[in-house]
Amino acid sequence: MSSAAGPLTEPQVLAHTKRRLFPDEAESTAYAVADTQFATAEWLPGQPIEPAIRDRLAPFNHVRIGGGYPDLVGVRSLESELLAVERLGDDPPLIAIEAKGHASGGVDTQRGIVQAYDRLHEANAAYLAAPATAISESDRTLARELNVGVLGVDAAGTVEVLEVPRVVGNRTTSEATALRFQASTQGVAEASFGLNHPKNYLGYPLAHYAAGDTEALLSEYKIVSAVTDARRGAAFLGLIEDGVTGVELTSLGEEVVRFAKAHCGSVEAALAEFEDWYRSPKRFVDLAPAWGRLARRVVFAYPATELLVTELQTMFEDGITEPSLVDTVEYLHELHPSFTVELFIRGDDGVRSRVLTDDGELRHSALADGSIYHSPTVFQLKAMLYHTGILTDRGAEPHRLEPLEDVWALREPV
């Protein structure tokens, strides 16, 4: 990701800044997206964006924060060198960055500071990032007055913290919620749901609670052999969490244990009942109605489920009774653009640059390609919504997916 060939451009400044503020892409409680304008092949006519820079800035989304669209927006707990934190809760702050680079008219640092300040209507912290040589003392004074952080980037890519902002509390909007959702333990990632039957996730807290080794019990009762996937999915559904001593049941996970004891007499008896369902293709809520209803409660508690069900009900009321996946994504994007992109569209391999225009609009033709979709949403999550009686149809793996034919309809609209 070289920047030695000439003055720093805005994409270069932003890429170096993202590396400084979001250094670990695998960090479980951090997530950031660059604006879709940076997904283009050229920043200015005759000024290409290097592939390494686009790779560093990906994934892309067009997220409205305050009165506009930040160049970079994300969620992460920053070090004290970057952010003066006054405790406002346990959630990591929502961060907005406006980048400025050399252009024909110079570096418009003051405009970047004012833009960053505007983002504080909804973000918890905002920064200007610009070439260090272009930042003046008057810029720093203005930034301090407006509580905007200032990051100076040099030609080697080093990012110096020139002004440290204070974190502020702000209202949560649907756009901000989309980023917070992705940065949470329940965000949609390729590794979120590896299994497509809710019983596999219900079984994990039961096996964890029962006397004996969790993995051995899951195997003994023929619940699931993919223990890692079961554990990960149980965490995504909010049934378990990592505690001081290891895996711990959440309040929702404890409720699953209580149900098992009340329904079967003991957790062990409940696990034995699970063995009867091994490899059954039947819809879970029809195969085991009581357990299916419990699974429905658990799946409905997953943040994305309520949004999907609410909007599918609205589509039904609007006369769209059997919407395809493409219909669903286009409808949702009109109402919840950032959330829809994060929930359905993959963030790797340049997918979002194919799906989204520079202004964050959907390219309809790209939506017909099944390979652009998140498997955990269109396959595993949809299959669980089917098994719990929420949707009419099962999910499909992206390589087998026909988005124009894939139906997303409520089984019991009201």
Side-chain angles (χ1 to χ4, degrees), residues 304-330:
T305 303
E306 184 174 0
L307 180 142
L308 283 169
V309 171
T310 298
E311 300 306 342
L312 288 174
Q313 174 65 38
T314 303
M315 292 177 76
F316 177 84
E317 293 167 1
D318 289 345
I320 310 172
T321 58
E322 290 194 339
S324 70
L325 174 57
V326 173
D327 295 332
T328 302
V329 169
E330 290 184 328

PDB file of all heavy atoms in Angstrom, residues 304-330:
ATOM      1  N   ALA A 304     -31.674  -9.681  14.014  1.00  0.00           N
ATOM      2  CA  ALA A 304     -32.065  -9.576  12.610  1.00  0.00           C
ATOM      3  C   ALA A 304     -33.457 -10.157  12.351  1.00  0.00           C
ATOM      4  O   ALA A 304     -34.128  -9.745  11.406  1.00  0.00           O
ATOM      5  CB  ALA A 304     -31.049 -10.288  11.724  1.00  0.00           C
ATOM      6  N   THR A 305     -33.899 -11.088  13.193  1.00  0.00           N
ATOM      7  CA  THR A 305     -35.166 -11.768  12.936  1.00  0.00           C
ATOM      8  C   THR A 305     -36.349 -10.819  13.013  1.00  0.00           C
ATOM      9  O   THR A 305     -37.226 -10.814  12.140  1.00  0.00           O
ATOM     10  CB  THR A 305     -35.367 -12.939  13.917  1.00  0.00           C
ATOM     11  OG1 THR A 305     -34.275 -13.846  13.809  1.00  0.00           O
ATOM     12  CG2 THR A 305     -36.667 -13.670  13.630  1.00  0.00           C
ATOM     13  N   GLU A 306     -36.398 -10.007  14.058  1.00  0.00           N
ATOM     14  CA  GLU A 306     -37.539  -9.105  14.221  1.00  0.00           C
ATOM     15  C   GLU A 306     -37.639  -8.132  13.050  1.00  0.00           C
ATOM     16  O   GLU A 306     -38.739  -7.851  12.558  1.00  0.00           O
ATOM     17  CB  GLU A 306     -37.441  -8.340  15.533  1.00  0.00           C
ATOM     18  CG  GLU A 306     -38.652  -7.458  15.786  1.00  0.00           C
ATOM     19  CD  GLU A 306     -38.641  -6.799  17.145  1.00  0.00           C
ATOM     20  OE1 GLU A 306     -37.685  -7.034  17.913  1.00  0.00           O
ATOM     21  OE2 GLU A 306     -39.584  -6.045  17.443  1.00  0.00           O
ATOM     22  N   LEU A 307     -36.497  -7.610  12.606  1.00  0.00           N
ATOM     23  CA  LEU A 307     -36.526  -6.697  11.466  1.00  0.00           C
ATOM     24  C   LEU A 307     -37.085  -7.397  10.235  1.00  0.00           C
ATOM     25  O   LEU A 307     -37.931  -6.854   9.519  1.00  0.00           O
ATOM     26  CB  LEU A 307     -35.121  -6.159  11.192  1.00  0.00           C
ATOM     27  CG  LEU A 307     -34.998  -5.178  10.019  1.00  0.00           C
ATOM     28  CD1 LEU A 307     -34.005  -4.068  10.359  1.00  0.00           C
ATOM     29  CD2 LEU A 307     -34.548  -5.887   8.741  1.00  0.00           C
ATOM     30  N   LEU A 308     -36.614  -8.621   9.969  1.00  0.00           N
ATOM     31  CA  LEU A 308     -37.092  -9.363   8.803  1.00  0.00           C
ATOM     32  C   LEU A 308     -38.591  -9.623   8.887  1.00  0.00           C
ATOM     33  O   LEU A 308     -39.333  -9.385   7.921  1.00  0.00           O
ATOM     34  CB  LEU A 308     -36.342 -10.691   8.693  1.00  0.00           C
ATOM     35  CG  LEU A 308     -34.920 -10.638   8.136  1.00  0.00           C
ATOM     36  CD1 LEU A 308     -34.229 -11.981   8.337  1.00  0.00           C
ATOM     37  CD2 LEU A 308     -34.939 -10.279   6.653  1.00  0.00           C
ATOM     38  N   VAL A 309     -39.038 -10.108  10.029  1.00  0.00           N
ATOM     39  CA  VAL A 309     -40.454 -10.451  10.176  1.00  0.00           C
ATOM     40  C   VAL A 309     -41.330  -9.203  10.053  1.00  0.00           C
ATOM     41  O   VAL A 309     -42.372  -9.222   9.386  1.00  0.00           O
ATOM     42  CB  VAL A 309     -40.695 -11.159  11.523  1.00  0.00           C
ATOM     43  CG1 VAL A 309     -42.190 -11.321  11.782  1.00  0.00           C
ATOM     44  CG2 VAL A 309     -40.007 -12.524  11.530  1.00  0.00           C
ATOM     45  N   THR A 310     -40.903  -8.106  10.666  1.00  0.00           N
ATOM     46  CA  THR A 310     -41.679  -6.866  10.610  1.00  0.00           C
ATOM     47  C   THR A 310     -41.860  -6.397   9.168  1.00  0.00           C
ATOM     48  O   THR A 310     -42.969  -6.041   8.743  1.00  0.00           O
ATOM     49  CB  THR A 310     -40.990  -5.767  11.435  1.00  0.00           C
ATOM     50  OG1 THR A 310     -40.935  -6.177  12.803  1.00  0.00           O
ATOM     51  CG2 THR A 310     -41.748  -4.450  11.336  1.00  0.00           C
ATOM     52  N   GLU A 311     -40.777  -6.401   8.406  1.00  0.00           N
ATOM     53  CA  GLU A 311     -40.863  -5.888   7.033  1.00  0.00           C
ATOM     54  C   GLU A 311     -41.538  -6.878   6.093  1.00  0.00           C
ATOM     55  O   GLU A 311     -42.211  -6.476   5.140  1.00  0.00           O
ATOM     56  CB  GLU A 311     -39.486  -5.493   6.527  1.00  0.00           C
ATOM     57  CG  GLU A 311     -38.809  -4.399   7.356  1.00  0.00           C
ATOM     58  CD  GLU A 311     -39.659  -3.151   7.537  1.00  0.00           C
ATOM     59  OE1 GLU A 311     -40.622  -2.932   6.784  1.00  0.00           O
ATOM     60  OE2 GLU A 311     -39.366  -2.368   8.467  1.00  0.00           O
ATOM     61  N   LEU A 312     -41.380  -8.172   6.330  1.00  0.00           N
ATOM     62  CA  LEU A 312     -42.103  -9.151   5.500  1.00  0.00           C
ATOM     63  C   LEU A 312     -43.604  -9.047   5.742  1.00  0.00           C
ATOM     64  O   LEU A 312     -44.411  -9.225   4.813  1.00  0.00           O
ATOM     65  CB  LEU A 312     -41.608 -10.574   5.803  1.00  0.00           C
ATOM     66  CG  LEU A 312     -40.204 -10.911   5.291  1.00  0.00           C
ATOM     67  CD1 LEU A 312     -39.775 -12.289   5.792  1.00  0.00           C
ATOM     68  CD2 LEU A 312     -40.141 -10.861   3.772  1.00  0.00           C
ATOM     69  N   GLN A 313     -44.001  -8.739   6.976  1.00  0.00           N
ATOM     70  CA  GLN A 313     -45.421  -8.516   7.267  1.00  0.00           C
ATOM     71  C   GLN A 313     -45.926  -7.284   6.517  1.00  0.00           C
ATOM     72  O   GLN A 313     -47.015  -7.294   5.932  1.00  0.00           O
ATOM     73  CB  GLN A 313     -45.622  -8.341   8.774  1.00  0.00           C
ATOM     74  CG  GLN A 313     -47.025  -7.951   9.184  1.00  0.00           C
ATOM     75  CD  GLN A 313     -48.057  -9.028   8.872  1.00  0.00           C
ATOM     76  OE1 GLN A 313     -47.787 -10.217   9.009  1.00  0.00           O
ATOM     77  NE2 GLN A 313     -49.245  -8.606   8.443  1.00  0.00           N
ATOM     78  N   THR A 314     -45.112  -6.217   6.502  1.00  0.00           N
ATOM     79  CA  THR A 314     -45.493  -5.001   5.777  1.00  0.00           C
ATOM     80  C   THR A 314     -45.603  -5.279   4.283  1.00  0.00           C
ATOM     81  O   THR A 314     -46.528  -4.788   3.611  1.00  0.00           O
ATOM     82  CB  THR A 314     -44.467  -3.884   6.028  1.00  0.00           C
ATOM     83  OG1 THR A 314     -44.359  -3.654   7.444  1.00  0.00           O
ATOM     84  CG2 THR A 314     -44.888  -2.589   5.352  1.00  0.00           C
ATOM     85  N   MET A 315     -44.682  -6.070   3.746  1.00  0.00           N
ATOM     86  CA  MET A 315     -44.743  -6.436   2.325  1.00  0.00           C
ATOM     87  C   MET A 315     -46.033  -7.200   2.038  1.00  0.00           C
ATOM     88  O   MET A 315     -46.698  -6.966   1.021  1.00  0.00           O
ATOM     89  CB  MET A 315     -43.521  -7.279   1.938  1.00  0.00           C
ATOM     90  CG  MET A 315     -42.210  -6.513   1.973  1.00  0.00           C
ATOM     91  SD  MET A 315     -40.771  -7.536   1.589  1.00  0.00           S
ATOM     92  CE  MET A 315     -40.940  -7.678  -0.199  1.00  0.00           C
ATOM     93  N   PHE A 316     -46.410  -8.111   2.945  1.00  0.00           N
ATOM     94  CA  PHE A 316     -47.658  -8.867   2.782  1.00  0.00           C
ATOM     95  C   PHE A 316     -48.854  -7.910   2.740  1.00  0.00           C
ATOM     96  O   PHE A 316     -49.745  -8.047   1.892  1.00  0.00           O
ATOM     97  CB  PHE A 316     -47.803  -9.864   3.933  1.00  0.00           C
ATOM     98  CG  PHE A 316     -49.091 -10.641   3.907  1.00  0.00           C
ATOM     99  CD1 PHE A 316     -49.214 -11.784   3.130  1.00  0.00           C
ATOM    100  CD2 PHE A 316     -50.181 -10.216   4.652  1.00  0.00           C
ATOM    101  CE1 PHE A 316     -50.409 -12.498   3.100  1.00  0.00           C
ATOM    102  CE2 PHE A 316     -51.375 -10.920   4.630  1.00  0.00           C
ATOM    103  CZ  PHE A 316     -51.482 -12.076   3.839  1.00  0.00           C
ATOM    104  N   GLU A 317     -48.851  -6.939   3.643  1.00  0.00           N
ATOM    105  CA  GLU A 317     -49.948  -5.968   3.675  1.00  0.00           C
ATOM    106  C   GLU A 317     -49.982  -5.109   2.421  1.00  0.00           C
ATOM    107  O   GLU A 317     -51.040  -4.626   2.016  1.00  0.00           O
ATOM    108  CB  GLU A 317     -49.807  -5.090   4.922  1.00  0.00           C
ATOM    109  CG  GLU A 317     -50.017  -5.859   6.220  1.00  0.00           C
ATOM    110  CD  GLU A 317     -49.583  -5.072   7.442  1.00  0.00           C
ATOM    111  OE1 GLU A 317     -49.136  -3.919   7.277  1.00  0.00           O
ATOM    112  OE2 GLU A 317     -49.693  -5.617   8.560  1.00  0.00           O
ATOM    113  N   ASP A 318     -48.818  -4.943   1.781  1.00  0.00           N
ATOM    114  CA  ASP A 318     -48.731  -4.184   0.537  1.00  0.00           C
ATOM    115  C   ASP A 318     -49.042  -5.039  -0.691  1.00  0.00           C
ATOM    116  O   ASP A 318     -48.915  -4.569  -1.828  1.00  0.00           O
ATOM    117  CB  ASP A 318     -47.332  -3.576   0.383  1.00  0.00           C
ATOM    118  CG  ASP A 318     -47.083  -2.439   1.360  1.00  0.00           C
ATOM    119  OD1 ASP A 318     -48.063  -1.944   1.947  1.00  0.00           O
ATOM    120  OD2 ASP A 318     -45.910  -2.054   1.543  1.00  0.00           O
ATOM    121  N   GLY A 319     -49.422  -6.292  -0.465  1.00  0.00           N
ATOM    122  CA  GLY A 319     -49.791  -7.171  -1.571  1.00  0.00           C
ATOM    123  C   GLY A 319     -48.663  -8.018  -2.123  1.00  0.00           C
ATOM    124  O   GLY A 319     -48.843  -8.744  -3.106  1.00  0.00           O
ATOM    125  N   ILE A 320     -47.476  -7.939  -1.511  1.00  0.00           N
ATOM    126  CA  ILE A 320     -46.341  -8.776  -1.958  1.00  0.00           C
ATOM    127  C   ILE A 320     -46.335 -10.007  -1.067  1.00  0.00           C
ATOM    128  O   ILE A 320     -45.687 -10.056  -0.020  1.00  0.00           O
ATOM    129  CB  ILE A 320     -45.016  -7.989  -1.844  1.00  0.00           C
ATOM    130  CG1 ILE A 320     -45.147  -6.627  -2.508  1.00  0.00           C
ATOM    131  CG2 ILE A 320     -43.874  -8.778  -2.479  1.00  0.00           C
ATOM    132  CD1 ILE A 320     -43.958  -5.710  -2.265  1.00  0.00           C
ATOM    133  N   THR A 321     -47.083 -11.024  -1.458  1.00  0.00           N
ATOM    134  CA  THR A 321     -47.325 -12.168  -0.582  1.00  0.00           C
ATOM    135  C   THR A 321     -46.238 -13.232  -0.659  1.00  0.00           C
ATOM    136  O   THR A 321     -46.054 -13.990   0.297  1.00  0.00           O
ATOM    137  CB  THR A 321     -48.680 -12.809  -0.930  1.00  0.00           C
ATOM    138  OG1 THR A 321     -48.674 -13.200  -2.319  1.00  0.00           O
ATOM    139  CG2 THR A 321     -49.819 -11.821  -0.680  1.00  0.00           C
ATOM    140  N   GLU A 322     -45.549 -13.330  -1.781  1.00  0.00           N
ATOM    141  CA  GLU A 322     -44.468 -14.314  -1.912  1.00  0.00           C
ATOM    142  C   GLU A 322     -43.233 -13.627  -2.502  1.00  0.00           C
ATOM    143  O   GLU A 322     -42.833 -13.896  -3.633  1.00  0.00           O
ATOM    144  CB  GLU A 322     -44.898 -15.500  -2.789  1.00  0.00           C
ATOM    145  CG  GLU A 322     -45.934 -16.393  -2.131  1.00  0.00           C
ATOM    146  CD  GLU A 322     -46.075 -17.723  -2.867  1.00  0.00           C
ATOM    147  OE1 GLU A 322     -45.690 -17.789  -4.055  1.00  0.00           O
ATOM    148  OE2 GLU A 322     -46.550 -18.678  -2.245  1.00  0.00           O
ATOM    149  N   PRO A 323     -42.615 -12.747  -1.747  1.00  0.00           N
ATOM    150  CA  PRO A 323     -41.468 -12.009  -2.281  1.00  0.00           C
ATOM    151  C   PRO A 323     -40.265 -12.921  -2.497  1.00  0.00           C
ATOM    152  O   PRO A 323     -40.005 -13.831  -1.704  1.00  0.00           O
ATOM    153  CB  PRO A 323     -41.175 -10.982  -1.184  1.00  0.00           C
ATOM    154  CG  PRO A 323     -41.693 -11.611   0.076  1.00  0.00           C
ATOM    155  CD  PRO A 323     -42.912 -12.383  -0.351  1.00  0.00           C
ATOM    156  N   SER A 324     -39.561 -12.667  -3.577  1.00  0.00           N
ATOM    157  CA  SER A 324     -38.301 -13.363  -3.804  1.00  0.00           C
ATOM    158  C   SER A 324     -37.217 -12.732  -2.932  1.00  0.00           C
ATOM    159  O   SER A 324     -37.427 -11.679  -2.316  1.00  0.00           O
ATOM    160  CB  SER A 324     -37.895 -13.262  -5.270  1.00  0.00           C
ATOM    161  OG  SER A 324     -37.520 -11.923  -5.589  1.00  0.00           O
ATOM    162  N   LEU A 325     -36.057 -13.372  -2.900  1.00  0.00           N
ATOM    163  CA  LEU A 325     -34.933 -12.797  -2.172  1.00  0.00           C
ATOM    164  C   LEU A 325     -34.596 -11.411  -2.719  1.00  0.00           C
ATOM    165  O   LEU A 325     -34.340 -10.475  -1.950  1.00  0.00           O
ATOM    166  CB  LEU A 325     -33.717 -13.724  -2.278  1.00  0.00           C
ATOM    167  CG  LEU A 325     -32.405 -13.206  -1.701  1.00  0.00           C
ATOM    168  CD1 LEU A 325     -32.546 -12.845  -0.229  1.00  0.00           C
ATOM    169  CD2 LEU A 325     -31.292 -14.234  -1.909  1.00  0.00           C
ATOM    170  N   VAL A 326     -34.620 -11.254  -4.034  1.00  0.00           N
ATOM    171  CA  VAL A 326     -34.325  -9.961  -4.649  1.00  0.00           C
ATOM    172  C   VAL A 326     -35.373  -8.926  -4.227  1.00  0.00           C
ATOM    173  O   VAL A 326     -35.038  -7.795  -3.864  1.00  0.00           O
ATOM    174  CB  VAL A 326     -34.251 -10.074  -6.184  1.00  0.00           C
ATOM    175  CG1 VAL A 326     -34.116  -8.694  -6.820  1.00  0.00           C
ATOM    176  CG2 VAL A 326     -33.083 -10.963  -6.593  1.00  0.00           C
ATOM    177  N   ASP A 327     -36.660  -9.307  -4.266  1.00  0.00           N
ATOM    178  CA  ASP A 327     -37.722  -8.394  -3.814  1.00  0.00           C
ATOM    179  C   ASP A 327     -37.483  -7.958  -2.369  1.00  0.00           C
ATOM    180  O   ASP A 327     -37.622  -6.778  -2.024  1.00  0.00           O
ATOM    181  CB  ASP A 327     -39.090  -9.080  -3.881  1.00  0.00           C
ATOM    182  CG  ASP A 327     -39.529  -9.416  -5.293  1.00  0.00           C
ATOM    183  OD1 ASP A 327     -39.111  -8.706  -6.227  1.00  0.00           O
ATOM    184  OD2 ASP A 327     -40.281 -10.399  -5.459  1.00  0.00           O
ATOM    185  N   THR A 328     -37.128  -8.919  -1.531  1.00  0.00           N
ATOM    186  CA  THR A 328     -36.941  -8.654  -0.104  1.00  0.00           C
ATOM    187  C   THR A 328     -35.783  -7.701   0.129  1.00  0.00           C
ATOM    188  O   THR A 328     -35.899  -6.728   0.885  1.00  0.00           O
ATOM    189  CB  THR A 328     -36.708  -9.981   0.644  1.00  0.00           C
ATOM    190  OG1 THR A 328     -37.819 -10.853   0.433  1.00  0.00           O
ATOM    191  CG2 THR A 328     -36.535  -9.744   2.135  1.00  0.00           C
ATOM    192  N   VAL A 329     -34.654  -7.962  -0.529  1.00  0.00           N
ATOM    193  CA  VAL A 329     -33.478  -7.111  -0.348  1.00  0.00           C
ATOM    194  C   VAL A 329     -33.753  -5.693  -0.844  1.00  0.00           C
ATOM    195  O   VAL A 329     -33.406  -4.712  -0.176  1.00  0.00           O
ATOM    196  CB  VAL A 329     -32.261  -7.727  -1.063  1.00  0.00           C
ATOM    197  CG1 VAL A 329     -31.095  -6.742  -1.125  1.00  0.00           C
ATOM    198  CG2 VAL A 329     -31.833  -9.004  -0.353  1.00  0.00           C
ATOM    199  N   GLU A 330     -34.396  -5.560  -1.998  1.00  0.00           N
ATOM    200  CA  GLU A 330     -34.685  -4.229  -2.531  1.00  0.00           C
ATOM    201  C   GLU A 330     -35.659  -3.478  -1.625  1.00  0.00           C
ATOM    202  O   GLU A 330     -35.494  -2.268  -1.401  1.00  0.00           O
ATOM    203  CB  GLU A 330     -35.231  -4.344  -3.957  1.00  0.00           C
ATOM    204  CG  GLU A 330     -34.176  -4.801  -4.964  1.00  0.00           C
ATOM    205  CD  GLU A 330     -34.691  -4.822  -6.391  1.00  0.00           C
ATOM    206  OE1 GLU A 330     -35.908  -5.088  -6.588  1.00  0.00           O
ATOM    207  OE2 GLU A 330     -33.884  -4.587  -7.297  1.00  0.00           O
TER     208      GLU A 330
END
